[in-house]
Short mmCIF file of all heavy atoms in Angstrom, two decimals:
data_model
loop_
_atom_site.label_atom_id
_atom_site.label_comp_id
_atom_site.label_asym_id
_atom_site.label_seq_id
_atom_site.Cartn_x
_atom_site.Cartn_y
_atom_site.Cartn_z
N MET A 1 -65.13 16.63 -22.97
CA MET A 1 -64.65 17.54 -21.91
C MET A 1 -65.59 18.73 -21.80
O MET A 1 -66.09 19.24 -22.80
CB MET A 1 -63.23 18.01 -22.26
CG MET A 1 -62.64 18.92 -21.18
SD MET A 1 -61.05 19.60 -21.66
CE MET A 1 -59.94 18.43 -20.90
N ALA A 2 -65.81 19.15 -20.56
CA ALA A 2 -66.70 20.28 -20.33
C ALA A 2 -66.10 21.56 -20.90
O ALA A 2 -64.88 21.70 -21.01
CB ALA A 2 -66.93 20.45 -18.83
N ASP A 3 -66.98 22.47 -21.27
CA ASP A 3 -66.51 23.77 -21.74
C ASP A 3 -66.01 24.59 -20.57
O ASP A 3 -66.64 24.62 -19.52
CB ASP A 3 -67.64 24.52 -22.44
CG ASP A 3 -67.82 24.01 -23.86
OD1 ASP A 3 -66.88 23.39 -24.38
OD2 ASP A 3 -68.90 24.24 -24.43
N PHE A 4 -64.91 25.24 -20.77
CA PHE A 4 -64.40 26.10 -19.71
C PHE A 4 -63.53 27.17 -20.34
O PHE A 4 -63.07 27.05 -21.48
CB PHE A 4 -63.58 25.29 -18.68
CG PHE A 4 -62.33 24.69 -19.24
CD1 PHE A 4 -61.13 25.40 -19.17
CD2 PHE A 4 -62.34 23.45 -19.84
CE1 PHE A 4 -59.95 24.86 -19.70
CE2 PHE A 4 -61.18 22.91 -20.37
CZ PHE A 4 -59.99 23.61 -20.30
N SER A 5 -63.30 28.20 -19.57
CA SER A 5 -62.31 29.20 -19.98
C SER A 5 -61.52 29.60 -18.75
O SER A 5 -61.98 29.42 -17.62
CB SER A 5 -63.00 30.42 -20.61
OG SER A 5 -63.83 31.05 -19.66
N ILE A 6 -60.35 30.08 -18.98
CA ILE A 6 -59.45 30.45 -17.89
C ILE A 6 -59.01 31.89 -18.09
O ILE A 6 -58.63 32.27 -19.20
CB ILE A 6 -58.20 29.55 -17.86
CG1 ILE A 6 -58.60 28.08 -17.75
CG2 ILE A 6 -57.27 29.96 -16.72
CD1 ILE A 6 -57.49 27.12 -18.10
N GLU A 7 -59.10 32.67 -17.03
CA GLU A 7 -58.61 34.04 -17.09
C GLU A 7 -57.36 34.16 -16.22
O GLU A 7 -57.30 33.63 -15.13
CB GLU A 7 -59.67 35.00 -16.53
CG GLU A 7 -60.94 35.07 -17.35
CD GLU A 7 -62.01 35.84 -16.62
OE1 GLU A 7 -61.69 36.89 -16.01
OE2 GLU A 7 -63.17 35.39 -16.63
N VAL A 8 -56.37 34.86 -16.74
CA VAL A 8 -55.16 35.16 -15.99
C VAL A 8 -55.14 36.66 -15.70
O VAL A 8 -55.23 37.47 -16.62
CB VAL A 8 -53.89 34.80 -16.80
CG1 VAL A 8 -52.64 35.12 -15.98
CG2 VAL A 8 -53.91 33.35 -17.22
N ASP A 9 -55.05 37.00 -14.43
CA ASP A 9 -54.90 38.42 -14.06
C ASP A 9 -53.40 38.74 -14.09
O ASP A 9 -52.65 38.39 -13.18
CB ASP A 9 -55.48 38.67 -12.67
CG ASP A 9 -55.49 40.15 -12.32
OD1 ASP A 9 -54.57 40.89 -12.77
OD2 ASP A 9 -56.41 40.58 -11.60
N ARG A 10 -52.99 39.38 -15.14
CA ARG A 10 -51.56 39.63 -15.34
C ARG A 10 -50.99 40.61 -14.32
O ARG A 10 -49.78 40.65 -14.11
CB ARG A 10 -51.32 40.14 -16.76
CG ARG A 10 -51.63 39.10 -17.83
CD ARG A 10 -51.40 39.66 -19.22
NE ARG A 10 -50.03 40.08 -19.44
CZ ARG A 10 -49.05 39.26 -19.80
NH1 ARG A 10 -49.30 37.98 -19.99
NH2 ARG A 10 -47.82 39.72 -19.98
N GLU A 11 -51.84 41.39 -13.72
CA GLU A 11 -51.37 42.32 -12.68
C GLU A 11 -50.99 41.54 -11.42
O GLU A 11 -50.06 41.91 -10.70
CB GLU A 11 -52.46 43.35 -12.35
CG GLU A 11 -52.86 44.23 -13.52
CD GLU A 11 -51.68 45.08 -14.00
OE1 GLU A 11 -50.97 45.64 -13.14
OE2 GLU A 11 -51.48 45.17 -15.22
N LEU A 12 -51.72 40.46 -11.15
CA LEU A 12 -51.48 39.67 -9.95
C LEU A 12 -50.39 38.62 -10.15
O LEU A 12 -49.67 38.28 -9.21
CB LEU A 12 -52.77 38.97 -9.50
CG LEU A 12 -53.88 39.86 -8.94
CD1 LEU A 12 -55.11 39.01 -8.59
CD2 LEU A 12 -53.40 40.62 -7.72
N CYS A 13 -50.27 38.09 -11.35
CA CYS A 13 -49.32 37.00 -11.62
C CYS A 13 -47.89 37.46 -11.36
O CYS A 13 -47.46 38.49 -11.86
CB CYS A 13 -49.47 36.52 -13.07
SG CYS A 13 -48.25 35.25 -13.51
N ILE A 14 -47.18 36.66 -10.55
CA ILE A 14 -45.77 36.97 -10.28
C ILE A 14 -44.84 35.98 -10.97
O ILE A 14 -43.64 35.94 -10.70
CB ILE A 14 -45.49 36.96 -8.75
CG1 ILE A 14 -45.86 35.60 -8.14
CG2 ILE A 14 -46.23 38.10 -8.06
CD1 ILE A 14 -45.41 35.42 -6.70
N GLY A 15 -45.40 35.14 -11.83
CA GLY A 15 -44.58 34.22 -12.61
C GLY A 15 -43.98 33.08 -11.80
O GLY A 15 -42.91 32.56 -12.15
N SER A 16 -44.66 32.68 -10.74
CA SER A 16 -44.12 31.64 -9.87
C SER A 16 -44.00 30.29 -10.55
O SER A 16 -43.17 29.46 -10.18
CB SER A 16 -45.02 31.49 -8.64
OG SER A 16 -46.27 30.94 -9.03
N GLY A 17 -44.83 30.06 -11.54
CA GLY A 17 -44.79 28.79 -12.27
C GLY A 17 -45.53 27.66 -11.61
O GLY A 17 -45.46 26.53 -12.09
N VAL A 18 -46.23 27.93 -10.52
CA VAL A 18 -46.97 26.85 -9.85
C VAL A 18 -48.02 26.26 -10.79
O VAL A 18 -48.18 25.04 -10.88
CB VAL A 18 -47.64 27.38 -8.56
CG1 VAL A 18 -48.57 26.33 -7.97
CG2 VAL A 18 -46.59 27.80 -7.55
N CYS A 19 -48.70 27.10 -11.51
CA CYS A 19 -49.74 26.61 -12.43
C CYS A 19 -49.13 25.71 -13.51
O CYS A 19 -49.75 24.72 -13.91
CB CYS A 19 -50.51 27.76 -13.05
SG CYS A 19 -49.50 28.96 -13.96
N ILE A 20 -47.93 26.03 -13.94
CA ILE A 20 -47.27 25.23 -14.97
C ILE A 20 -46.84 23.89 -14.39
O ILE A 20 -46.92 22.85 -15.04
CB ILE A 20 -46.08 26.00 -15.55
CG1 ILE A 20 -46.57 27.31 -16.17
CG2 ILE A 20 -45.34 25.15 -16.59
CD1 ILE A 20 -45.47 28.29 -16.52
N ALA A 21 -46.39 23.91 -13.13
CA ALA A 21 -46.00 22.65 -12.46
C ALA A 21 -47.19 21.72 -12.33
O ALA A 21 -47.07 20.50 -12.51
CB ALA A 21 -45.41 22.96 -11.09
N TYR A 22 -48.35 22.29 -12.04
CA TYR A 22 -49.56 21.47 -11.92
C TYR A 22 -50.08 21.03 -13.28
O TYR A 22 -50.48 19.89 -13.46
CB TYR A 22 -50.68 22.28 -11.24
CG TYR A 22 -50.70 22.22 -9.74
CD1 TYR A 22 -50.19 23.26 -8.98
CD2 TYR A 22 -51.26 21.14 -9.08
CE1 TYR A 22 -50.22 23.23 -7.59
CE2 TYR A 22 -51.31 21.09 -7.70
CZ TYR A 22 -50.79 22.14 -6.95
OH TYR A 22 -50.82 22.10 -5.60
N ALA A 23 -50.14 21.94 -14.20
CA ALA A 23 -50.83 21.69 -15.47
C ALA A 23 -50.04 22.30 -16.63
O ALA A 23 -50.44 23.30 -17.22
CB ALA A 23 -52.25 22.26 -15.41
N GLY A 24 -48.95 21.63 -16.94
CA GLY A 24 -48.07 22.14 -18.00
C GLY A 24 -48.68 22.03 -19.39
O GLY A 24 -48.17 22.63 -20.33
N GLY A 25 -49.76 21.26 -19.49
CA GLY A 25 -50.44 21.19 -20.78
C GLY A 25 -51.43 22.31 -20.98
O GLY A 25 -52.08 22.41 -22.03
N THR A 26 -51.56 23.13 -19.95
CA THR A 26 -52.54 24.22 -20.00
C THR A 26 -51.88 25.59 -19.87
O THR A 26 -52.30 26.55 -20.51
CB THR A 26 -53.58 24.05 -18.87
OG1 THR A 26 -54.18 22.77 -18.99
CG2 THR A 26 -54.65 25.14 -18.93
N PHE A 27 -50.85 25.66 -19.03
CA PHE A 27 -50.22 26.95 -18.75
C PHE A 27 -48.78 26.98 -19.24
O PHE A 27 -48.09 25.96 -19.29
CB PHE A 27 -50.24 27.24 -17.24
CG PHE A 27 -51.63 27.34 -16.69
CD1 PHE A 27 -52.22 26.26 -16.05
CD2 PHE A 27 -52.36 28.51 -16.82
CE1 PHE A 27 -53.51 26.35 -15.53
CE2 PHE A 27 -53.66 28.61 -16.31
CZ PHE A 27 -54.22 27.52 -15.67
N ASP A 28 -48.35 28.15 -19.58
CA ASP A 28 -46.97 28.37 -19.99
C ASP A 28 -46.60 29.79 -19.57
O ASP A 28 -47.47 30.57 -19.17
CB ASP A 28 -46.85 28.21 -21.51
CG ASP A 28 -45.41 27.94 -21.95
OD1 ASP A 28 -44.49 27.97 -21.10
OD2 ASP A 28 -45.21 27.70 -23.15
N HIS A 29 -45.32 30.10 -19.63
CA HIS A 29 -44.88 31.48 -19.40
C HIS A 29 -44.78 32.22 -20.73
O HIS A 29 -44.37 31.63 -21.73
CB HIS A 29 -43.49 31.50 -18.76
CG HIS A 29 -43.45 31.22 -17.31
ND1 HIS A 29 -44.29 31.82 -16.40
CD2 HIS A 29 -42.66 30.41 -16.58
CE1 HIS A 29 -44.00 31.37 -15.18
NE2 HIS A 29 -43.02 30.51 -15.27
N ASP A 30 -45.11 33.49 -20.73
CA ASP A 30 -44.83 34.28 -21.91
C ASP A 30 -43.44 34.92 -21.75
O ASP A 30 -42.71 34.62 -20.79
CB ASP A 30 -45.94 35.31 -22.17
CG ASP A 30 -46.00 36.40 -21.11
OD1 ASP A 30 -45.10 36.46 -20.25
OD2 ASP A 30 -46.96 37.18 -21.13
N LEU A 31 -43.08 35.79 -22.64
CA LEU A 31 -41.74 36.36 -22.62
C LEU A 31 -41.52 37.26 -21.41
O LEU A 31 -40.38 37.54 -21.03
CB LEU A 31 -41.48 37.13 -23.91
CG LEU A 31 -41.41 36.26 -25.17
CD1 LEU A 31 -41.26 37.12 -26.41
CD2 LEU A 31 -40.26 35.26 -25.07
N GLU A 32 -42.60 37.71 -20.80
CA GLU A 32 -42.49 38.54 -19.59
C GLU A 32 -42.51 37.69 -18.32
O GLU A 32 -42.49 38.22 -17.21
CB GLU A 32 -43.64 39.55 -19.53
CG GLU A 32 -43.62 40.57 -20.66
CD GLU A 32 -44.84 41.48 -20.61
OE1 GLU A 32 -45.36 41.74 -19.51
OE2 GLU A 32 -45.28 41.90 -21.69
N GLY A 33 -42.59 36.36 -18.49
CA GLY A 33 -42.64 35.47 -17.34
C GLY A 33 -44.02 35.36 -16.70
O GLY A 33 -44.17 34.77 -15.64
N LYS A 34 -45.02 35.92 -17.36
CA LYS A 34 -46.39 35.82 -16.85
C LYS A 34 -47.04 34.57 -17.43
O LYS A 34 -46.67 34.08 -18.50
CB LYS A 34 -47.20 37.04 -17.29
CG LYS A 34 -46.59 38.37 -16.91
CD LYS A 34 -46.97 38.77 -15.52
CE LYS A 34 -46.46 40.18 -15.23
NZ LYS A 34 -46.90 40.65 -13.91
N ALA A 35 -48.04 34.07 -16.71
CA ALA A 35 -48.73 32.86 -17.17
C ALA A 35 -49.62 33.17 -18.36
O ALA A 35 -50.29 34.20 -18.41
CB ALA A 35 -49.58 32.29 -16.03
N ILE A 36 -49.61 32.26 -19.31
CA ILE A 36 -50.55 32.30 -20.43
C ILE A 36 -51.21 30.94 -20.53
O ILE A 36 -50.72 29.96 -20.00
CB ILE A 36 -49.86 32.64 -21.77
CG1 ILE A 36 -48.70 31.68 -22.05
CG2 ILE A 36 -49.37 34.09 -21.76
CD1 ILE A 36 -48.11 31.83 -23.44
N VAL A 37 -52.33 30.91 -21.22
CA VAL A 37 -53.12 29.69 -21.34
C VAL A 37 -52.93 29.10 -22.73
O VAL A 37 -53.11 29.80 -23.74
CB VAL A 37 -54.61 29.98 -21.09
CG1 VAL A 37 -55.45 28.71 -21.25
CG2 VAL A 37 -54.81 30.57 -19.70
N ARG A 38 -52.54 27.83 -22.76
CA ARG A 38 -52.42 27.13 -24.04
C ARG A 38 -53.81 26.75 -24.54
O ARG A 38 -54.67 26.36 -23.75
CB ARG A 38 -51.64 25.82 -23.86
CG ARG A 38 -50.21 25.97 -23.43
CD ARG A 38 -49.69 24.55 -23.19
NE ARG A 38 -48.33 24.54 -22.68
CZ ARG A 38 -47.25 24.46 -23.46
NH1 ARG A 38 -47.39 24.39 -24.76
NH2 ARG A 38 -46.06 24.43 -22.93
N SER A 39 -53.99 26.82 -25.80
CA SER A 39 -55.26 26.39 -26.38
C SER A 39 -54.98 25.58 -27.64
O SER A 39 -54.32 26.08 -28.55
CB SER A 39 -56.12 27.61 -26.70
OG SER A 39 -57.38 27.21 -27.18
N PRO A 40 -55.45 24.35 -27.72
CA PRO A 40 -56.26 23.68 -26.69
C PRO A 40 -55.40 23.17 -25.55
O PRO A 40 -54.21 22.94 -25.72
CB PRO A 40 -56.88 22.52 -27.47
CG PRO A 40 -55.86 22.18 -28.51
CD PRO A 40 -55.24 23.50 -28.91
N SER A 41 -56.03 22.98 -24.41
CA SER A 41 -55.36 22.40 -23.26
C SER A 41 -55.32 20.88 -23.39
O SER A 41 -56.24 20.28 -23.93
CB SER A 41 -56.14 22.77 -21.99
OG SER A 41 -55.75 21.93 -20.92
N SER A 42 -54.25 20.27 -22.89
CA SER A 42 -54.18 18.80 -22.92
C SER A 42 -54.34 18.22 -21.52
O SER A 42 -54.05 17.04 -21.31
CB SER A 42 -52.85 18.36 -23.54
OG SER A 42 -51.76 18.87 -22.81
N ASP A 43 -54.78 19.02 -20.56
CA ASP A 43 -54.95 18.53 -19.19
C ASP A 43 -56.42 18.26 -18.88
O ASP A 43 -57.31 18.88 -19.44
CB ASP A 43 -54.44 19.57 -18.19
CG ASP A 43 -52.94 19.74 -18.26
OD1 ASP A 43 -52.23 18.73 -18.24
OD2 ASP A 43 -52.50 20.89 -18.36
N ALA A 44 -56.63 17.34 -17.93
CA ALA A 44 -57.98 17.08 -17.44
C ALA A 44 -58.46 18.28 -16.62
O ALA A 44 -57.65 19.02 -16.04
CB ALA A 44 -57.99 15.83 -16.57
N LEU A 45 -59.75 18.44 -16.58
CA LEU A 45 -60.32 19.60 -15.88
C LEU A 45 -59.93 19.60 -14.40
O LEU A 45 -59.66 20.67 -13.82
CB LEU A 45 -61.83 19.60 -16.05
CG LEU A 45 -62.58 20.86 -15.66
CD1 LEU A 45 -61.97 22.11 -16.30
CD2 LEU A 45 -64.05 20.74 -16.03
N ASP A 46 -59.88 18.43 -13.79
CA ASP A 46 -59.48 18.36 -12.37
C ASP A 46 -58.06 18.86 -12.17
O ASP A 46 -57.74 19.49 -11.16
CB ASP A 46 -59.58 16.92 -11.85
CG ASP A 46 -60.99 16.57 -11.43
OD1 ASP A 46 -61.84 17.48 -11.37
OD2 ASP A 46 -61.24 15.38 -11.16
N THR A 47 -57.21 18.55 -13.13
CA THR A 47 -55.82 19.02 -13.07
C THR A 47 -55.77 20.54 -13.18
O THR A 47 -55.04 21.21 -12.44
CB THR A 47 -55.02 18.38 -14.22
OG1 THR A 47 -55.09 16.96 -14.09
CG2 THR A 47 -53.57 18.82 -14.20
N ILE A 48 -56.55 21.07 -14.08
CA ILE A 48 -56.60 22.52 -14.26
C ILE A 48 -57.15 23.18 -13.00
O ILE A 48 -56.65 24.22 -12.55
CB ILE A 48 -57.47 22.87 -15.48
CG1 ILE A 48 -56.83 22.30 -16.74
CG2 ILE A 48 -57.67 24.38 -15.59
CD1 ILE A 48 -57.71 22.36 -17.96
N ARG A 49 -58.16 22.56 -12.42
CA ARG A 49 -58.76 23.10 -11.19
C ARG A 49 -57.70 23.17 -10.08
O ARG A 49 -57.62 24.16 -9.35
CB ARG A 49 -59.92 22.20 -10.77
CG ARG A 49 -61.07 22.93 -10.12
CD ARG A 49 -62.20 21.98 -9.83
NE ARG A 49 -63.16 21.86 -10.91
CZ ARG A 49 -63.59 20.73 -11.44
NH1 ARG A 49 -63.14 19.57 -11.00
NH2 ARG A 49 -64.47 20.74 -12.40
N SER A 50 -56.89 22.12 -9.96
CA SER A 50 -55.82 22.11 -8.95
C SER A 50 -54.83 23.24 -9.21
O SER A 50 -54.36 23.90 -8.28
CB SER A 50 -55.09 20.77 -8.97
OG SER A 50 -55.95 19.73 -8.61
N ALA A 51 -54.50 23.46 -10.47
CA ALA A 51 -53.57 24.52 -10.82
C ALA A 51 -54.13 25.89 -10.45
O ALA A 51 -53.43 26.74 -9.88
CB ALA A 51 -53.25 24.46 -12.31
N VAL A 52 -55.39 26.08 -10.76
CA VAL A 52 -56.03 27.37 -10.46
C VAL A 52 -56.06 27.59 -8.95
O VAL A 52 -55.73 28.68 -8.46
CB VAL A 52 -57.46 27.40 -11.07
CG1 VAL A 52 -58.25 28.59 -10.54
CG2 VAL A 52 -57.38 27.43 -12.59
N GLU A 53 -56.40 26.55 -8.22
CA GLU A 53 -56.47 26.68 -6.75
C GLU A 53 -55.08 26.80 -6.14
O GLU A 53 -54.92 27.35 -5.05
CB GLU A 53 -57.21 25.47 -6.16
CG GLU A 53 -58.69 25.47 -6.51
CD GLU A 53 -59.39 24.16 -6.17
OE1 GLU A 53 -58.72 23.23 -5.66
OE2 GLU A 53 -60.60 24.07 -6.43
N GLY A 54 -54.06 26.31 -6.84
CA GLY A 54 -52.70 26.34 -6.31
C GLY A 54 -51.97 27.65 -6.54
O GLY A 54 -50.90 27.88 -5.97
N CYS A 55 -52.53 28.52 -7.34
CA CYS A 55 -51.85 29.79 -7.62
C CYS A 55 -51.73 30.60 -6.33
O CYS A 55 -52.72 30.91 -5.69
CB CYS A 55 -52.63 30.59 -8.66
SG CYS A 55 -51.94 32.26 -8.90
N PRO A 56 -50.51 30.95 -5.94
CA PRO A 56 -50.31 31.65 -4.67
C PRO A 56 -50.85 33.07 -4.67
O PRO A 56 -51.02 33.67 -3.61
CB PRO A 56 -48.79 31.64 -4.49
CG PRO A 56 -48.25 31.55 -5.88
CD PRO A 56 -49.24 30.70 -6.64
N MET A 57 -51.13 33.61 -5.83
CA MET A 57 -51.58 34.99 -5.93
C MET A 57 -53.07 35.11 -6.22
O MET A 57 -53.59 36.23 -6.32
CB MET A 57 -50.80 35.71 -7.04
CG MET A 57 -49.30 35.75 -6.84
SD MET A 57 -48.87 36.51 -5.26
CE MET A 57 -49.38 38.19 -5.58
N GLY A 58 -53.73 33.97 -6.41
CA GLY A 58 -55.14 34.04 -6.78
C GLY A 58 -55.34 34.73 -8.12
O GLY A 58 -56.34 35.40 -8.34
N ALA A 59 -54.37 34.53 -9.01
CA ALA A 59 -54.39 35.25 -10.29
C ALA A 59 -55.19 34.52 -11.37
O ALA A 59 -55.37 35.06 -12.46
CB ALA A 59 -52.96 35.46 -10.79
N LEU A 60 -55.63 33.30 -11.06
CA LEU A 60 -56.32 32.49 -12.07
C LEU A 60 -57.79 32.32 -11.72
O LEU A 60 -58.15 32.13 -10.56
CB LEU A 60 -55.67 31.11 -12.17
CG LEU A 60 -54.19 31.12 -12.58
CD1 LEU A 60 -53.62 29.71 -12.49
CD2 LEU A 60 -54.02 31.69 -13.98
N ARG A 61 -58.61 32.39 -12.74
CA ARG A 61 -60.03 32.14 -12.54
C ARG A 61 -60.47 31.13 -13.60
O ARG A 61 -60.19 31.30 -14.79
CB ARG A 61 -60.82 33.44 -12.70
CG ARG A 61 -62.34 33.26 -12.52
CD ARG A 61 -63.07 34.57 -12.71
NE ARG A 61 -62.59 35.58 -11.78
CZ ARG A 61 -63.04 35.71 -10.53
NH1 ARG A 61 -63.98 34.91 -10.08
NH2 ARG A 61 -62.57 36.65 -9.76
N LEU A 62 -61.16 30.08 -13.13
CA LEU A 62 -61.68 29.05 -14.03
C LEU A 62 -63.17 29.24 -14.16
O LEU A 62 -63.90 29.22 -13.15
CB LEU A 62 -61.36 27.67 -13.46
CG LEU A 62 -61.91 26.46 -14.22
CD1 LEU A 62 -61.32 26.39 -15.62
CD2 LEU A 62 -61.62 25.18 -13.45
N ASN A 63 -63.63 29.46 -15.36
CA ASN A 63 -65.06 29.60 -15.63
C ASN A 63 -65.54 28.34 -16.31
O ASN A 63 -65.10 28.02 -17.41
CB ASN A 63 -65.32 30.81 -16.55
CG ASN A 63 -64.80 32.09 -15.94
OD1 ASN A 63 -65.10 32.42 -14.81
ND2 ASN A 63 -64.00 32.83 -16.70
N GLU A 64 -66.40 27.61 -15.62
CA GLU A 64 -66.94 26.37 -16.19
C GLU A 64 -68.37 26.61 -16.64
O GLU A 64 -69.13 27.28 -15.96
CB GLU A 64 -66.90 25.25 -15.16
CG GLU A 64 -65.50 24.92 -14.69
CD GLU A 64 -65.48 23.80 -13.69
OE1 GLU A 64 -65.99 22.71 -14.01
OE2 GLU A 64 -64.96 24.00 -12.58
N SER A 65 -68.74 26.01 -17.77
CA SER A 65 -70.11 26.20 -18.25
C SER A 65 -70.78 24.85 -18.44
O SER A 65 -70.15 23.83 -18.28
CB SER A 65 -70.12 26.96 -19.56
OG SER A 65 -69.29 26.32 -20.50
S1 LIG B 101 -49.32 30.08 -10.36
FE1 LIG B 101 -50.26 32.12 -10.41
S2 LIG B 101 -48.61 33.56 -9.98
FE2 LIG B 101 -47.66 31.60 -10.56
S3 LIG B 101 -47.29 31.76 -12.80
FE3 LIG B 101 -49.30 30.78 -12.51
S4 LIG B 101 -50.79 32.47 -12.58
FE4 LIG B 101 -48.77 33.37 -12.22
#
């Protein structure tokens, strides 16, 4: 699997859970209802990409190397 990292902008995240619906092996809610990133992720990179693109707030950034 390619190396990647994911950033969550907690100021933008509204806890919609869309990212978790797309990629539950990568994202979860913390106690504040904000998205957090599981490590290691069990999702394929394409799945993660869909989750990042599906965030209604643009709160996720995928950095691929
Ligand atoms: S989809 Fe976006 S707004 Fe919704 S929980 Fe995930 S990061 Fe937060």
Side-chain angles (χ1 to χ4, degrees):
M1 182 186 265
D3 280 341
F4 65 91
S5 63
I6 303 164
E7 295 170 42
V8 181
D9 187 327
R10 294 179 60 84
E11 298 297 316
L12 290 178
C13 176
I14 57 170
S16 68
V18 172
C19 57
I20 300 168
Y22 272 101
T26 304
F27 297 98
D28 200 355
H29 281 312
D30 67 9
L31 293 176
E32 296 176 30
K34 306 275 186 176
I36 55 171
V37 178
R38 296 174 184 268
S39 184
S41 163
S42 59
D43 292 311
L45 193 51
D46 277 350
T47 301
I48 297 169
R49 214 176 270 130
S50 296
V52 168
E53 291 169 0
C55 173
M57 300 303 293
L60 300 174
R61 180 181 302 275
L62 177 63
N63 302 308
E64 299 181 57
S65 54

